[in-house]
Amino acid sequence: REFIIENYRTTIEVEHLAKLINKSINYTISVFKEIYGQTPIQYVHHLRISEACYLLNHTEMTIVNIAEYLGYYDHAYLTKTFKKYMLISPKDYRMNNHERLRRG
């Protein structure tokens, strides 16, 4: 988990995590899911989407720049993943939150 937290903006593969702890891929996924309630890759996406929400709310970074910053290979993949977890596009999320702030 600590490795993921420190490196979530880079490419993380379960194979690498398994090698770090000298266990099989299936064991690594199984134990991680048992402890944290999600697979290592789901955890990476959770961290990235949480950071994306922060950046959308507190910066004027473009979605393309946010995707690059968070380690997504393109902004379309960030958008797809963001919609999966947040049920709204990053663009709509930003617009909705800016509207709420203006209304007070």
Side-chain angles (χ1 to χ4, degrees):
R1 179 174 170 246
E2 294 304 315
F3 177 84
I4 293 173
I5 291 170
E6 291 173 9
N7 296 284
Y8 72 93
R9 291 177 30 215
T10 65
T11 300
I12 296 177
E13 296 179 3
V14 177
E15 295 84 358
H16 186 241
L17 297 175
K19 285 180 184 178
L20 284 174
I21 61 171
N22 201 27
K23 300 292 182 187
S24 73
I25 293 169
N26 288 338
Y27 178 83
T28 302
I29 293 169
S30 175
V31 169
F32 195 94
K33 190 169 185 176
E34 185 177 315
I35 294 170
Y36 300 107
Q38 53 193 333
T39 69
I41 299 307
Q42 288 170 328
Y43 191 76
V44 168
H45 287 306
H46 171 80
L47 291 172
R48 288 178 175 177
I49 297 305
S50 293
E51 182 75 5
C53 289
Y54 177 84
L55 294 170
L56 290 165
N57 285 331
H58 297 94
T59 73
E60 295 300 320
M61 288 175 70
T62 66
I63 294 169
V64 170
N65 291 123
I66 291 172
E68 290 173 3
Y69 177 77
L70 295 176
Y72 286 104
Y73 58 86
D74 71 27
H75 72 283
Y77 188 61
L78 166 63
T79 298
K80 178 181 176 182
T81 305
F82 194 94
K83 281 183 182 179
K84 178 180 177 182
Y85 286 89
M86 300 300 294
L87 306 177
I88 190 171
S89 72
K91 179 181 176 183
D92 290 341
Y93 178 86
R94 176 176 267 167
M95 287 186 349
N96 287 347
N97 284 322
H98 284 190
E99 279 298 314
R100 278 190 215 123
L101 290 174
R102 274 187 246 145
R103 282 186 263 136

